[in-house]
Every structure is written in C-alpha cells, then in structure tokens.
Amino acid sequence: MTATNPGSQWRALSGRSVLGGIREGDLVFATFTPVVFFVCFYVPLQNMADTLGVNYAQYLLPVIVLQSMLFTGIAAGERSATDALGGMAVRLRALPVPRLIPMFARMSANLIRAVLSLIGGIAIGYLAGFRFHGGLGSIIGFVVIALLFAVAMSFGADALGSIATNREATGQMLMVPQLLFTMVSTGIVPAVGFPEWLQPFARNQPVSKVADALRGLASDTVDATTITIALAWILGMLVVFASAALHLATKER
Amino acid sequence: MTGTPAVLVEGLHKRFGDHVALSGVDFEVAPGTVLGLLGPNGAGKTTTVSILATLRRPDAGRALVAGHNVVDDAAAVRRSIMLTGQYAAVDELLTGRENLELFARLLGARKQEAAKRAADLLDEFDLADAADRRVGTYSGGMRRRIDIACGLVIKPAVVFLDEPTTGLDPRSRQHVWSLIGRLRDEGVTVLLTTQYLEEADVLSDRIVVIDHGAVVAEGTSAQLKQRTGGTHCEVVPVEPRLVPRAHELLADLHPSPLTPGADRFALPAPGGVATLGTVMSRLDAAGIDLADVALRRPSLDDVFLSLTGHAASGAEQSA
Amino acid sequence: MRANPPAETSLHSLASTTKLQTARLLRRWSREPAVLIQSLVFPAFLLVVFQWVLGRTITLFSGSDSIYGQVPLIALLAGMFGTLTTGIALTAERDAGLLARFWVLPVHRASGLASRLLGEMVRTLASTVVMLGIGYLLGFRFQQGGWAAVGFVLIPVLLITGFATMVIAVAVVSSGKTVLELMSTVCLLMLFFNSGFVPTDEYPGWLQPVVRVQPMSPAIEAMRGLSEGGPVAVPVLQTLAWTVGLVAVFGWLAVRGYRRAAAE
C-alpha cells in the first residue's frame, strides 16, 4: 500500500466521472447539442438575417456556445446529485480523501464536457460561415471566456446538486433558467426585436453580455468595455457559486 | 353448480417461442374450496392463471371456469372471476375510494351503489382512514388489501390470487391470509398460487404441485406429507458426545445414519406415540438425558424437495 | 351486490365502460406532474418566449402577425408532448399489471383503447383552450367568427387521434419507452421546422417541401385560416389525410399490441 496522494485520487475520481459520461452517452450528447440547436435556429432565421445583410452564423454562434455551456452546468448538477443521492459522496467522505477532491474531480469532468461542446459548436458554425476574424489572441480569449462561463455555471449547479433530493427534478428545474436566459437574450435576435419593456433585461442579462464579448472577439470588433462587463459577470458568478460549492463540499453533514 | 368443478383444467399446453411453459397441466377445483398451486419461479403457475383469467390463450387443452370455456366463452368467464396479480395492480394516482368506485362501476353498479359498496369495503378492509389518500402513498400491505378489495366489489364465483403475499411483511401476510379464509367461508372458490409452502399448507384444502410446466403431485397437505414417508421421531441428547451411544442403543429401530458432528438423529415412527415411549424409556435406562425428543411430520419443504429434486424457492429462473 | 354489467360485446357496454375508463385517465393525468408540465406549463412557456423573442421580427418580415402561426404550433405541440408523456405512463401501467387488471373485467374489448383515444382528445381540447387563452393575452384574436373558432380547436383534436394511435402502438411494445423518448426529441426538432415557427418561404428552398408536408404544417395552416383568415379546405383535408394515414398504419398495431400488453 502506498500513502494516499491527492493528485492520484483526483485523477482516479476524474477518470471515473469521465467514464460515466462516456457510458451514459453524455459526451456524445455534449458534442451534438450545440450542433442541433444551431441548426434549429440558423435554418429558419438565416433568410431574414440575410435580408438585413447580417451573417447569421457569425451572430448566432456565441449564444449557441453559451447555451451548451449552460447544458454543461445542468449535467454538472445531475452529476453531483447522482454522487450525493447514490451514496458515493458519503462513501468518499469515509475514505482518506481530502474533502475537496471529489468536487474538483467532478469539475474536471465538467470541463472536459464543456470543451467537447465548444468543439461541436465551433465546427457547425464554421460549416455555416462563422469565422474568427481576429488573431490567435482573440481565439484564445473566446475559448477562455466560454470555458470560464461553463466553470462558473458548473460550480453553481454542483452546489445545487449536492443538496438535491431528486436527480431528474434537479435537471428539469435547471432547464427553466437555461431556456429563459438563452432565448430572452440578444443572442438570437437583437434587442429591438423584443417588446420595449423586455429590452433592458434582454440587453443586460449575463448571457447577452457574454455573447456580445464572444461575438466581438470572433469578429475582431471587440472593445475593452464589452470584455470588462463580460468578465465582471463571469468572475462575479464564479466567486459566488464557487464559494457556495466549496462551503457545501467541506461542511459537516 | 353442485358436482361440476368451479375450475377444470385438462391437458393445458403453452409455449413461448422455444420455451415450453406448460406441457399438459390437469387439475380441478371443487366449488367453495381453496386450491394451492405450488411451484418454484418459472414452474408455470402464472401462465396457468393467466390462461384461466382469459389473458392468454392455451396452445392446446381445455379449461373451464365457473362452467365457461376460457377460449370460447371468455366474456362469461370474466363475469365470474377476480384476479389479483403479484404486483398490486390498481391506479396509484387514484385514491382507494376512487379505485373501488371505478371497479364497481365497470362491473355494472350505478353511481350510488358503487359509492355505498366502496364505503363498505373500505370499512371491511380496515382502510377507512386512508380512503381518500392516493394509493401511491399506501404501504405494501395496504396496497395488497385495496387490490383484493377491488376484486370483491362484486362477489365473484372464482378468485385467482397470484402470489398474494409475495413481498409482504409478516403482519400484512397474516391479514391477507385471514381474508382468504373469509372468502372460502363465503363460498367463493379460490385458486391461490404461491412459492410459500407454509402458505399453501395453512390455507389450501388441496394442493397441486407443478414443476417445469407439469403437475408433479396433487392431494391434501396431509396426503402429500404422507407420500414423503410419514412421521418420524427426532432425538436430541443434552450432551452431543452421547449422540453415537444413543444411536447404537436404538439401532434396531432403523435410525437414519449419523451425520458426523450432528447433535441429533431421526428414526421412523410407524407406531407414533408408542415409538416415542420406547425411545424415552430405553435412553432413560442408559442414563442419557434428552434435550428434546419429538414426533415430527414432514414439512411441505420436505415434500417439495422429494418431489422435484430441488428446494422450493430460488431454484429456477422466472420465465 | 349482483354482478350485472351489460354484455361486454354490446354498444351499451362500449359506451359506458369507455366513459368510465376515460374519466379514470383524465383524473389520473390531472394528478401527474409530468403530464401537466409537458402539456401545459412547458408549451405555455414556449409560446410566451417565442412570441417575445421572434414575434416582432417574424411579423415584420412575413407581413402577417406571427401569433397566428405560434398559437397553432404550440397548441399542436402541447397535444403531442402530452400524448408522449401519457404514452410513457402507459408503459408503466403495462409493467404494473394495470392493463391486465382491466382486461379481465367484463368490459367491452375495445373500451381500453377507445378510452385512451378519447382521453387524449379531451386532454388536447383542454390544452388547446389554455394555449388560446395565453395567445389572447399576446394579441391573438379570432377574425373569422364563432364557427371558425370551433373548427380551430378541433384541428389539434383531430390530428392527435392519429398521433395518439401511433404513440399507443409504440408504448405497448416492450422497448416502447426508449422509442417514445426518441420521438420526444424528434418532436422537439419538428418545433423548429414547420410553417408556424416561421413562414415556409423563410426556409431554404430544398427544405420547403419537407416543412410543408410534415404533419404539423397543414394543421397549422388550417388553424391560421380559421383564425386570421386564408385557405382552409385544402389544409384541413391534408390534416385529415395525415390522421387517417396514421390510424390506418398504426391502428392495427395498437389493437394487437394493447391486447398483448394486457397479457404480459
């Protein structure tokens, strides 16, 4: 017997989560969800955007990417609810495993899922005419912002899942904010398309703001303010959700 | 209907693909009696019951229920029976009362009659307090009771109880047993399938043992036990080291061979109490104290083992 | 009490036992959160959100108010999602032995299936009325008079009889649940590819024939005609053709499968 090593424990537990995702088909699902949603919005609405002279693939892709990051959050909630309800969480607490290791292992699996979604989304976008017009820096910025957003969402959902009483209900409950923030955003149509009273929300809610930044980075038209607002939202959510998740993971129960 | 059996089964055959579920089952149930259909999982009990309840058609053979042919006159059979499955099949999202009223009305009762009958049955089955709760919130025992009650909204001629106590706790099982006794008292014919030998022993007037889709034995519980070799006497000395010595002293009574290390042995007791007396006086004279000495009749487990060559439960895969 | 039900082959039995079993199903569904969510809450939510997000844009581009495409679309979707959910519940009823329990009662042999179809029709009528109420708040108005309005709510009821026949035929086979879940995904996709989401002309030319003939589109066009105005006869006949086709193809499978499922 070797002494317990948090690094190898983390690797073992991450591997377990990723394998579970492969077995349940979730990683395939992660890759194809953005493809399907992109097609569902792009095909019916592209003609109208064309009339206005807008490259709709360029316009739409950011919100599709962010939606798939929200789906990653939902999967994270279900993952953590499965551990919590299936007794795995309790079992790991009884082993010489540092309290935070299981949560970080789940987060690694979530990050892998997010990367696959990002690949799926950018691939379908490229087929439809989406392009990175900026340099390597803006591509990296795009990827980092999208993944940070996924990590923030995953922390929040992980915290919720760890106190859930029902796995399916957790997933279904999280679908509501997903749909609301994706649809009522400026990611599908510009704010002027919404009823006046709804425009301030549509324009300023986090998914819209982060989508603005992603769109700007891809089109190389971004300014510092847009990036700052997007990062402020992401980091703010990251701090709140991560501290909730850390608190729940280390709390005596 | 005196003289005609309530249930008559002749040469029933049924196969599912390559699997032969029934290969010639014959038996009869006299009106107003309880027949225990006994067998391990996959023996063909449930298939037999589903043919009798008109759920499945036999490949060959004939079956009459309350005088009606289950194939040619299925509608008349359905007017005469009630079926309770292994899993309590009532609508879990409806309350106990709603379920009872639904079944009563489907069986032809008018609205008020149905309400009255439901209220009576709820009282009778000790479910009045839970009457307006959804069945999904009931305990296992309550569920089985409401299930049986739903079958009794109209008094049937023949009741099929397919493993009515599987999965129940001992108290609920006791409750179901007393219900079955009451059905018989009211003159209802009951066909009870079970894996529990004890259950068949306690409740049935006659027992039919089936295995691999065929009847392997039939008779009353006592007759079946008789077939396995009758009464024997079991001898348990206080001190296990004296077991061989006691065995030697009783050698002329043909005791069963000693198992090394056993604290007891048995010998046939054709003379009943007389044999018991001989054993006691002889061992007393030799100064061997007994912890226990008793006449034992074979259990249905012994019967089952000797008839089928395997134990009663868990021996077969369900078909 | 005497057992005195009408002979199970009689029309009287068919009517009375179908009515009783329909009442059971409606009562059950009204207590099943999944049914309420899928047939009322989720469609209502979609209707509101679609109208907020796409209403102005589509109205601007197509020249006709998008609400007259969205309300029919969502009314159909509510019926279909509801049917898929009750179909999944049917697989559970089969596994629990409830179908067998009803089969051995002296009820008309067709009443089990008939009550399910009738139940689906009533449920669809109810959800259509609810979607209309929400549509009204969003600006939907009947412009073709009272009879047209009656025709409007009957279109989803008509189409759902065909759709429900298919769902029941699938639900009663042993792998039914998995297929139904797959069908839910297909329905979700159909939501984006029909003449109600955006007008057919907006789709790429090669896709327009598919969008035009898929079963929801003729029904949507019929409902558009019966509310906003426009052709009615042809889309109604197309909807009827889809319904008759689905019943013809899946009706026999449903009858045979339902009988088998009861025996299992």
Side-chain angles (χ1 to χ4, degrees):
Chain A
M1 283 283 286
T2 52
T4 55
N5 168 351
S8 66
Q9 288 173 339
W10 167 75
R11 276 194 298 277
L13 287 171
S14 305
R16 162 185 166 262
S17 280
V18 173
L19 275 178
I22 292 171
R23 245 174 250 132
E24 290 181 8
D26 184 50
L27 292 184
V28 177
F29 189 74
T31 316
F32 283 96
T33 307
V35 175
V36 169
F37 277 97
F38 183 87
V39 170
C40 281
F41 285 106
Y42 180 78
V43 172
L45 301 177
Q46 179 261 345
N47 192 36
M48 293 185 218
D50 250 16
T51 317
L52 296 174
V54 172
N55 176 351
Y56 197 52
Q58 198 76 16
Y59 186 84
L60 178 67
L61 188 68
V63 83
I64 295 294
V65 165
L66 292 180
Q67 184 196 32
S68 68
M69 300 299 128
L70 288 170
F71 276 124
T72 293
I74 292 173
E78 287 182 342
R79 196 192 307 279
S80 124
T82 307
D83 276 6
L85 297 171
M88 191 66 188
V90 174
R91 184 157 191 175
L92 287 173
R93 276 163 187 273
L95 293 174
V97 175
R99 284 278 157 102
L100 286 177
I101 290 287
M103 191 193 65
F104 280 120
R106 288 197 297 270
M107 293 308 294
S108 326
N110 296 336
L111 197 60
I112 289 173
R113 192 192 190 284
V115 168
L116 285 173
S117 285
L118 192 58
I119 292 171
I122 292 175
I124 184 70
Y126 251 79
L127 285 177
F130 169 86
R131 292 292 179 274
F132 285 108
H133 294 292
L136 188 62
S138 52
I139 298 179
I140 292 172
F142 186 100
V143 170
V144 167
I145 286 184
L147 293 181
L148 268 181
F149 183 79
V151 169
M153 291 300 122
S154 300
F155 268 119
D158 190 275
L160 263 181
S162 68
I163 52 172
T165 51
N166 179 326
R167 183 193 142 136
E168 278 73 29
T170 307
Q172 281 173 6
M173 199 176 70
L174 288 171
M175 286 304 276
V176 176
Q178 178 276 122
L179 212 68
L180 205 64
F181 280 96
T182 306
M183 295 291 298
V184 189
S185 74
T186 54
I188 294 170
V189 296
V192 290
F194 290 87
E196 277 74 17
W197 61 270
L198 199 56
Q199 288 181 10
F201 174 78
R203 202 175 277 132
N204 293 307
Q205 58 111 330
V207 169
S208 297
K209 284 297 170 194
V210 179
D212 286 346
L214 292 181
R215 199 178 298 117
L217 283 165
S219 307
D220 201 21
T221 57
V222 78
D223 55 62
T225 324
T226 312
I227 296 281
T228 312
I229 294 174
L231 280 178
W233 269 115
I234 292 177
L235 295 177
M237 290 190 295
L238 201 56
V239 167
V240 173
F241 292 152
S243 49
L246 293 178
H247 171 72
L248 287 170
T250 48
K251 201 174 86 169
E252 286 293 337
R253 260 176 291 166
Chain B
M1 256 204 296
T2 45
T4 35
V7 178
L8 174 71
V9 175
E10 281 177 357
L12 229 44
H13 281 77
K14 181 75 187 177
R15 59 159 63 231
F16 301 111
D18 288 340
H19 174 75
V20 178
L22 300 179
S23 53
V25 171
D26 305 79
F27 63 85
E28 285 182 21
V29 190
T33 64
V34 178
L35 180 90
L37 193 57
L38 191 62
N41 273 334
K45 303 185 300 286
T46 299
T47 305
T48 305
V49 168
S50 52
I51 289 173
L52 292 175
T54 78
L55 284 169
R56 294 185 190 276
R57 283 160 169 265
D59 296 335
R62 191 169 79 111
L64 302 181
V65 174
H68 308 294
N69 189 301
V70 294
V71 176
D72 306 333
D73 202 2
V77 171
R78 288 190 281 263
R79 293 170 81 102
S80 319
I81 60 170
M82 98 103 164
L83 169 71
T84 300
Q86 249 179 78
Y87 307 97
V90 291
D91 194 325
E92 304 221 327
L93 291 175
L94 263 51
T95 66
R97 189 192 306 281
E98 287 167 345
N99 267 298
L100 286 167
E101 289 180 357
L102 172 68
F103 280 96
R105 297 210 55 205
L106 285 172
L107 286 160
R110 275 190 297 274
K111 208 166 184 168
Q112 276 147 18
E113 286 179 308
K116 169 88 175 60
R117 183 69 182 139
D120 291 347
L121 281 166
L122 286 165
D123 281 336
E124 195 179 327
F125 281 74
D126 201 13
L127 288 167
D129 292 340
D132 297 310
R133 264 168 45 203
R134 292 184 198 179
V135 173
T137 66
Y138 284 19
S139 69
M142 289 162 75
R143 240 178 248 221
R144 211 59 62 99
R145 257 141 63 202
I146 194 76
D147 184 15
I148 295 176
C150 282
L152 299 178
V153 288
I154 303 284
K155 190 171 148 189
V158 180
V159 169
F160 299 107
L161 295 167
D162 191 12
E163 307 205 359
T165 62
T166 297
L168 289 192
D169 60 82
R171 195 169 143 267
S172 303
R173 182 185 291 187
Q174 222 23 270
H175 205 118
V176 171
W177 283 7
S178 72
L179 282 175
I180 296 169
R182 217 152 74 204
L183 283 177
R184 179 181 40 195
D185 296 343
E186 291 173 17
V188 176
T189 308
V190 177
L191 197 156
L192 165 82
T193 75
T194 182
Q195 301 183 50
Y196 301 120
L197 303 152
E198 183 196 7
E199 188 162 285
D201 201 359
V202 172
L203 296 171
S204 317
D205 298 306
R206 284 173 64 76
I207 291 171
V208 167
V209 183
I210 67 172
D211 195 29
H212 298 299
V215 173
V216 293
E218 191 178 351
T220 63
S221 159
Q223 284 168 342
L224 290 178
K225 289 174 188 169
Q226 200 67 46
R227 273 183 54 171
T228 344
T231 309
H232 59 273
C233 177
E234 200 172 64
V235 182
V236 190
V238 172
E239 296 196 47
R241 63 182 176 85
L242 294 175
V243 170
R245 168 115 180 85
H247 192 259
E248 212 169 283
L249 282 167
L250 301 169
D252 58 320
L253 296 176
H254 314 291
S256 54
L258 270 182
T259 320
D263 68 339
R264 63 190 66 202
F265 60 91
L267 47 88
V273 181
T275 312
L276 191 65
T278 314
V279 169
M280 287 175 71
S281 58
R282 227 186 265 177
L283 295 181
D284 190 40
I288 298 176
D289 288 335
L290 291 175
D292 189 20
V293 59
L295 287 175
R296 298 259 193 268
R297 303 178 64 207
S299 71
L300 267 174
D301 287 285
D302 302 327
V303 175
F304 205 88
L305 201 59
S306 75
L307 284 173
T308 64
H310 54 78
S313 48
E316 291 280 313
Q317 283 298 305
S318 178
Chain C
M1 231 164 91
R2 298 159 296 116
N4 193 24
E8 66 176 49
T9 48
S10 68
L11 272 180
H12 177 190
S13 171
L14 178 61
S16 66
T17 56
T18 299
K19 199 182 98 190
L20 287 164
Q21 291 179 79
T22 305
R24 167 185 85 89
L25 288 169
L26 292 174
R27 193 175 263 175
R28 179 188 169 93
W29 294 340
S30 70
R31 293 174 189 178
E32 218 158 339
V35 174
L36 295 176
I37 289 170
Q38 293 293 329
S39 68
L40 294 174
V41 181
F42 180 57
F45 181 76
L46 276 184
L47 177 56
V48 171
V49 168
F50 277 3
Q51 194 55 27
W52 281 348
V53 179
L54 300 169
R56 275 190 175 191
T57 309
I58 293 169
T59 305
L60 188 73
F61 275 87
S62 67
S64 83
D65 196 335
S66 68
I67 192 83
Y68 296 99
Q70 298 287 353
V71 171
L73 164 61
I74 297 295
L76 293 173
L77 196 78
M80 289 161 69
F81 275 153
T83 302
L84 286 165
T85 314
T86 59
I88 288 172
L90 171 60
T91 65
E93 286 189 34
R94 179 200 62 202
D95 295 344
L98 204 56
L99 296 188
R101 184 74 188 255
F102 285 111
W103 186 264
V104 302
L105 292 175
V107 297
H108 195 284
R109 295 300 95 191
S111 64
L113 208 51
S115 62
R116 291 207 88 86
L117 286 178
L118 191 59
E120 296 293 347
M121 292 163 78
V122 173
R123 189 185 49 66
T124 302
L125 185 67
S127 61
T128 301
V129 170
V130 172
M131 295 311 133
L132 269 177
I134 293 162
Y136 193 88
L137 296 177
L138 294 168
F140 179 95
R141 296 291 181 273
F142 282 111
Q143 296 168 16
Q144 305 295 316
W147 288 111
V150 172
F152 181 100
V153 296
L154 290 181
I155 296 285
V157 175
L158 172 67
L159 188 62
I160 216 70
T161 47
F163 187 74
T165 307
M166 175 172 74
V167 167
I168 292 169
V170 170
V172 289
V173 301
S174 51
S175 56
K177 196 174 170 190
T178 319
V179 181
L180 287 177
E181 280 162 358
L182 199 72
M183 283 171 69
S184 303
T185 311
V186 173
C187 280
L188 204 61
L189 291 182
M190 282 167 74
L191 168 64
F192 293 93
F193 298 95
N194 60 74
S195 66
F197 184 65
V198 299
T200 313
D201 302 343
E202 297 293 333
Y203 291 91
W206 58 271
L207 196 62
Q208 288 182 16
V210 180
V211 169
R212 203 169 279 128
V213 302
Q214 72 111 316
M216 296 171 87
S217 293
I220 290 167
E221 287 316 304
M223 292 162 84
R224 197 198 291 274
L226 288 164
S227 49
E228 189 186 25
V232 173
V234 171
V236 166
L237 286 176
Q238 288 169 330
T239 309
L240 201 62
W242 263 112
T243 307
V244 171
L246 286 170
V247 171
V249 173
F250 292 102
W252 183 73
L253 289 173
V255 168
R256 199 186 57 160
Y258 198 86
R259 200 243 170 281
R260 276 199 192 157
E264 270 155 20

